[in-house]
Amino acid sequence: MATPEFDLNDIKRRMQGAVSSLSKDLGSLRTGRATPSLLDPIQVDAYGSMMPMAQVATVSVPEPRLLSISVWDRSMVTAVEKAIRESDLGLNPQTEGQTIRLRIPEMNEQRRKEMVKVAHKYTEEARVAVRHVRRDGLDHLKKLLKDSVISEDDEKRQATDVQKATDQYIAEIDGVLASKEKEIMQV
């Protein structure tokens, strides 16, 4: 019988958060293919404060290697252009009125391998986050056992459930990495 003090669903929710964070991080990696999420990390100096690109413009993908940014306020075009140039994406914006076009250049083999390394780094951070959640859950179970709130059998069974959830989310993280790696290495 599960006790109300230990919530496996909360552990799973926190592990899922690590997977979601990884997906967001990997979405911002440049792969040679245009995606609106590529511009998510860019902050624009708008009206005296830093704002995400999505709050000052609409980003669309008219072609596989082209991003089109429609800036809502004409006075913000230069600020958006400057933010893109200053980002570490290595993109060169071309302005036409209130529309900014970004051609996504082909990536060479060396750059692809660098991107894969960055993807592996993000993935390892997500694995570590999942393991931290596992450790927190197991520590909580040990405390409940020490305080005689749950029996040893309950503690062992719930610890096994926590480990199963950890294995499931680590496998999900590895799957996300494999698909991103395939996308990056695709010519």
Side-chain angles (χ1 to χ4, degrees):
M1 175 173 146
T3 60
E5 290 85 7
F6 182 75
D7 187 6
L8 183 62
N9 289 330
D10 182 53
I11 299 285
K12 288 181 178 180
R13 181 189 54 75
R14 290 172 55 200
M15 289 180 179
Q16 182 59 48
V19 174
S20 299
S21 177
L22 172 67
S23 296
K24 185 173 180 256
D25 288 344
L26 291 180
S28 67
L29 279 182
R30 196 170 75 142
T31 61
R33 199 184 312 148
T35 60
S37 62
L38 187 63
L39 302 177
D40 285 350
I42 296 179
Q43 296 284 317
V44 179
D45 185 7
Y47 313 112
S49 65
M50 298 306 278
M51 300 175 106
M53 180 76 69
Q55 291 184 5
V56 295
T58 304
V59 180
S60 60
V61 185
E63 298 173 25
R65 293 198 181 282
L66 180 72
L67 285 175
S68 178
I69 304 162
S70 299
V71 183
W72 301 328
D73 183 358
R74 183 177 290 278
S75 65
M76 295 304 306
V77 173
T78 54
V80 170
E81 197 175 348
K82 180 180 176 196
I84 293 168
R85 278 204 171 89
E86 290 177 352
S87 72
D88 59 354
L89 295 175
L91 298 174
N92 189 24
Q94 299 166 339
T95 307
E96 301 167 9
Q98 283 184 250
T99 303
I100 298 173
R101 298 195 191 293
L102 292 174
R103 288 236 169 257
I104 310 294
E106 288 277 343
M107 288 175 34
N108 60 22
E109 190 68 21
Q110 180 184 357
R111 184 76 175 133
R112 288 179 193 281
K113 288 179 180 174
E114 288 172 17
M115 285 293 145
V116 168
K117 285 180 186 174
V118 172
H120 279 273
K121 185 184 95 169
Y122 288 157
T123 303
E124 189 54 37
E125 289 170 2
R127 285 186 191 117
V128 168
V130 167
R131 291 180 191 127
H132 282 293
V133 173
R134 174 186 64 189
R135 186 197 61 218
D136 291 348
L138 294 178
D139 288 349
H140 186 69
L141 284 172
K142 287 177 186 167
K143 184 181 181 322
L144 291 175
L145 178 64
K146 183 180 171 222
D147 294 344
S148 301
V149 175
I150 60 174
S151 68
E152 252 183 70
D153 290 343
D154 283 342
E155 189 260 347
K156 283 191 183 351
R157 186 173 30 76
Q158 289 180 342
T160 303
D161 291 344
V162 169
Q163 185 59 48
K164 283 180 187 172
T166 302
D167 295 342
Q168 171 192 344
Y169 284 104
I170 295 286
E172 189 174 333
I173 286 169
D174 291 341
V176 169
L177 172 66
S179 69
K180 187 64 175 186
E181 197 170 337
K182 181 180 173 191
E183 181 184 329
I184 290 171
M185 294 310 287
Q186 180 181 340
V187 178

